[in-house]
Amino acid sequence: MANKFTVVTDRFLGLAIDSSQQNFNSDAEFIGSLKEAISEWKKAGKRGLWVKIHLNQTSLIPLLTEMGFDFHHAQPGYVKMTMWLCDHLPSHLPEYANQYIGVAGFVVNSDNQVLAIKEKFPDGKSMPNWKLPGGHADKGEDLGDTARREVLEETGIHCEFQSLLAFRHEHNYRYGCSDMYFVCLMRPLTREIKACPLEIADCRWLDLDEFINHESVSDASRHFVQCYKDGLKHKDFAIIPIRLPSYDRKKLNKVYSIVHKTPHQQQQGEEEDAGTSV
């Protein structure tokens, strides 16, 4: 019966079934064949079973739950369910992604002012704090690209990535997931603020000391400013990405690490501090 299914095998002795790629006349035929196939797969030493159910076949979901399948995750257009087939071992199936990636743009101009915003809809607060512009990274988006996009969307300021300044790891965030929040040092390419009226209540260039001493600034934001000020004493080092081959050598990944700036990079930074940046 197992050969009635079109399956994909992974390197962990698991199997994946996509409901849209199967050829059965009814839900009952699908479920009956699946029960027999699972018996064969268990004897063959298969471990995990993944079933992807598309919107037009959701009638299969209650039938699969009766068999012992559980929900793994859902995305627009489908639900993925799982069953662990190895009775003598606890389940080794990985849980779905449980971390958010947030990115902020720490944008500093040549007057030593940081770009700060107040959100129109503050999270759990009666009054909005001054904070850095930023938001969630889109799927497949690099940190610097997220910072550049979010700063532009929220403030109208064009900027470019320079280095990673700091990051925060917080648990029990939205929907019980954890949150990794990366602060990127950005160089502004424009100066005129055009704040988004849908999201932003206020947006200004604030002196660093004014920002760090303001009563409506969070402890974390104060710390980020202090990190920047401390970093000014060590301009010859920065956390920037380099591209290295992935484990399978089929693509290049960005690896962020502390590097010693080249003389050219240091000269660029000195010129920007002298007023070539906006």
Side-chain angles (χ1 to χ4, degrees):
M1 281 298 173
N3 60 6
K4 282 191 172 184
F5 289 91
T6 300
V7 299
V8 175
T9 304
D10 62 33
R11 62 190 179 101
F12 302 106
L13 299 179
L15 300 170
I17 297 173
D18 188 321
S19 66
S20 66
Q21 297 176 5
Q22 313 309 315
N23 186 22
F24 292 95
N25 295 320
S26 66
D27 290 353
E29 183 183 352
F30 180 97
I31 294 299
S33 298
L34 183 59
K35 287 178 179 178
E36 295 185 36
I38 287 174
S39 178
E40 295 180 28
W41 288 329
K42 283 185 174 183
K43 292 176 183 177
K46 301 302 179 182
R47 303 186 342 144
L49 178 58
W50 307 77
V51 180
K52 185 177 184 179
I53 308 298
H54 293 266
L55 280 177
N56 62 338
Q57 295 163 306
T58 52
S59 56
L60 288 170
I61 292 175
L63 302 175
L64 290 170
T65 58
E66 289 178 7
M67 288 180 60
F69 280 85
D70 202 350
F71 297 106
H72 185 265
H73 70 273
Q75 290 287 302
Y78 75 87
V79 169
K80 186 161 284 191
M81 304 182 74
T82 61
M83 175 184 282
W84 183 246
L85 303 180
C86 195
D87 295 330
H88 63 282
L89 287 175
S91 175
H92 290 179
L93 294 175
E95 64 176 296
Y96 192 58
N98 54 28
Q99 306 280 335
Y100 277 94
I101 299 295
V103 185
F106 193 96
V107 189
V108 183
N109 63 25
S110 57
D111 293 327
N112 226 20
Q113 296 174 317
V114 63
L115 186 62
I117 65 166
K118 284 187 177 182
E119 293 178 322
K120 185 166 286 189
F121 306 101
D123 186 12
K125 305 178 185 70
S126 58
M127 295 294 292
N129 283 346
W130 284 112
K131 57 175 290 188
L132 305 175
H136 289 146
D138 289 340
K139 188 180 294 184
E141 189 174 48
D142 288 332
L143 299 177
D145 292 336
T146 302
R148 178 177 51 80
R149 173 181 57 78
E150 287 287 347
V151 170
L152 180 60
E153 290 175 358
E154 293 184 352
T155 73
I157 299 294
H158 292 265
C159 59
E160 63 181 7
F161 175 84
Q162 289 191 296
S163 65
L164 193 61
L165 180 64
F167 76 91
R168 164 184 57 68
H169 197 193
E170 174 186 349
H171 301 293
N172 296 316
Y173 179 59
R174 192 169 296 164
Y175 309 121
C177 292
S178 298
D179 178 52
M180 302 185 75
Y181 180 76
F182 294 87
V183 182
C184 297
L185 180 60
M186 309 293 288
R187 184 172 77 91
L189 303 177
T190 59
R191 186 152 187 157
E192 182 183 359
I193 292 173
K194 298 177 182 178
C196 173
L198 299 178
E199 297 184 41
I200 307 303
D202 199 356
C203 181
R204 302 178 191 175
W205 293 102
L206 297 179
D207 292 335
L208 291 177
D209 289 337
E210 178 185 1
F211 184 90
I212 204 172
N213 292 316
H214 204 289
E215 60 180 6
S216 61
V217 169
S218 70
D219 292 335
S221 293
R222 288 193 179 94
H223 178 73
F224 299 146
V225 174
Q226 192 61 53
C227 286
Y228 172 75
K229 294 179 71 174
D230 293 344
L232 294 177
K233 305 171 186 176
H234 307 283
K235 291 185 178 181
D236 50 341
F237 290 95
I239 301 176
I240 59 176
I242 60 172
R243 290 195 176 273
L244 292 175
S246 60
Y247 74 94
D248 57 6
R249 306 189 70 83
K250 293 182 178 180
K251 60 182 179 181
L252 294 177
N253 291 331
K254 283 189 174 181
V255 177
Y256 291 80
S257 53
I258 299 175
V259 300
H260 190 280
K261 286 185 179 180
T262 65
H264 173 67
Q265 289 172 319
Q266 292 182 44
Q267 182 180 359
Q268 266 190 324
E270 290 168 1
E271 289 173 351
E272 289 164 4
D273 291 341
T276 56
S277 61
V278 297

